Amino acid sequence: ITWVPVVDNNARSAMMRTGEAHFTFPVPYEQAAVLEKDEHLKLVAAPSIVTRYLNMNMLQKPFDDLRVRQAINYALDKDFMLAVAEEGLGTVANSIANPNMTGYDEEIPYYEYNSEKAKELLTEAGYPDGFDLGIIYCREGKDQSLAEIAMENLAVIGITSTVTVVENNAFIDMLMNGNFNVAATHLNLNTDASNVFDVASIRGSVPYSGLEDPVIEEMRDECDLEMDTEARAAMLNEFLDYLSEEAYFAPCYYPKKSYAHTAGLQFSGYDPFVGLQVRFLSWE
């Protein structure tokens, strides 16, 4: 296998159509329709383990107020985000956990887009005219698209903000040290919902949100000790329900992983965490 980094999306698409390249990831959404029409190519849009979401810093006011967090969740037009940022390749998120995780189900409380409800909650919280959120930090790419749409959505309910793109290492450092109010980001947490404790527990490896909730810590201890598979899945589901009810995060959507490959190239192994695996690659 020869790997060739090609930054330009148009050039990468052209290489696929001319046969110069046999596989590309990710497929730029603006090129997806073109590649899909080529009879010599196959386009793959498969489930991933990624969740794109807004991360609020609970150590900063007014995000310590449940009503404000709920208002932000209601204000986000997740269908529009998915359509613009991913060309619709994905599904709207109801949890920070992904559908491919043990413990997830579709009944987890969901904040459907409702700007009027969001305004009511802000008024109850003492912000009838909204407030200045400050900066929404993000990395370049899809997270930036998420941040820019979120900025527009929040403006509808009176929350003003700006978007600042930050280099990856600086972004991670900023979140780890709590030097932010809101960040547009994503998670790729493997296939078990216990991984969500990494971002929701104060003992997590990446506690980005300033969360220190004794209920979450107790749930984590119980899940760590439970050996029965079904009982543990039920515990994790209860944990995810609690995160949604408390609106600790603002989940937006689950993108699909998109690939294109020449028709004669076969992949016999797929995993939602790592995607298509080249060790299962073969030619017809």
Side-chain angles (χ1 to χ4, degrees):
I1 299 174
T2 301
W3 298 99
V4 181
V6 181
V7 177
D8 182 77
N9 290 338
N10 292 326
R12 207 158 70 245
S13 176
M15 290 172 69
M16 290 298 299
R17 285 183 280 115
T18 60
E20 184 179 351
H22 305 102
F23 170 82
T24 185
F25 169 79
V27 173
Y29 70 82
E30 69 272 17
Q31 297 290 342
V34 175
L35 296 178
E36 192 171 26
K37 292 176 182 177
D38 193 318
E39 62 182 11
H40 302 294
L41 301 175
K42 288 187 178 180
L43 192 67
V44 180
S48 74
I49 207 73
V50 175
T51 304
R52 295 197 184 274
Y53 69 105
L54 287 191
N55 198 39
M56 295 169 279
N57 188 347
M58 247 55 66
L59 296 177
Q60 306 286 345
K61 288 186 176 296
F63 308 111
D64 57 341
D65 191 315
L66 171 61
R67 295 164 297 187
V68 171
R69 299 195 302 269
Q70 289 176 328
I72 289 173
N73 271 270
Y74 277 121
L76 300 177
D77 189 344
K78 305 167 188 71
D79 286 297
F80 183 73
M81 289 175 171
L82 181 62
V84 172
E86 305 286 345
E87 281 290 293
L89 293 176
T91 54
V92 167
N94 65 330
S95 172
I96 191 172
N98 188 280
N100 292 289
M101 287 181 170
T102 299
Y104 171 92
D105 70 31
E106 294 180 355
E107 302 305 315
I108 294 169
Y110 167 62
Y111 294 88
E112 191 171 359
Y113 176 58
N114 189 333
S115 58
E116 292 305 313
K117 178 66 174 177
K119 291 176 183 178
E120 290 174 13
L121 286 163
L122 282 185
T123 299
E124 289 177 19
Y127 302 96
D129 300 318
F131 59 88
D132 182 19
L133 179 150
I135 298 172
I136 301 175
Y137 292 100
C138 63
R139 286 166 287 197
E140 190 176 12
K142 299 295 178 68
D143 288 347
Q144 182 179 352
S145 297
L146 176 65
E148 291 170 348
I149 297 170
M151 177 180 67
E152 295 174 2
N153 289 166
L154 293 174
V156 172
I157 65 169
I159 298 178
T160 57
S161 61
T162 57
V163 171
T164 295
V165 179
V166 182
E167 182 272 332
N168 183 66
N169 290 335
F171 182 82
I172 296 297
D173 184 69
M174 180 184 298
L175 266 63
M176 288 290 286
N177 291 290
N179 298 326
F180 73 102
N181 287 337
V182 173
T185 187
H186 62 276
L187 289 175
N188 193 18
L189 288 176
N190 215 321
T191 53
D192 190 277
S194 64
N195 288 276
V196 177
F197 284 117
D198 282 341
V199 292
S201 167
I202 195 64
R203 293 173 286 162
S205 59
V206 282
Y208 291 160
S209 306
L211 263 174
E212 192 168 357
D213 185 332
V215 175
I216 292 175
E217 301 310 312
E218 183 179 349
M219 287 179 168
R220 180 174 186 171
D221 290 337
E222 291 175 353
C223 285
D224 285 347
L225 295 173
E226 182 56 62
M227 301 301 291
D228 182 83
T229 302
E230 291 186 5
R232 185 173 171 279
M235 287 180 174
L236 289 171
N237 184 256
E238 182 182 355
F239 162 58
L240 298 178
D241 281 350
Y242 180 75
L243 288 183
S244 285
E245 289 164 358
E246 292 296 317
Y248 281 138
F249 303 94
C252 296
Y253 64 85
Y254 309 120
K256 288 187 176 181
K257 288 186 175 179
S258 54
Y259 305 79
H261 62 86
T262 52
L265 194 60
Q266 299 296 309
F267 288 91
S268 57
Y270 179 82
D271 182 272
F273 181 60
V274 297
L276 294 174
Q277 302 170 73
V278 294
R279 65 194 178 101
F280 296 115
L281 178 154
S282 62
W283 289 98
E284 280 187 340

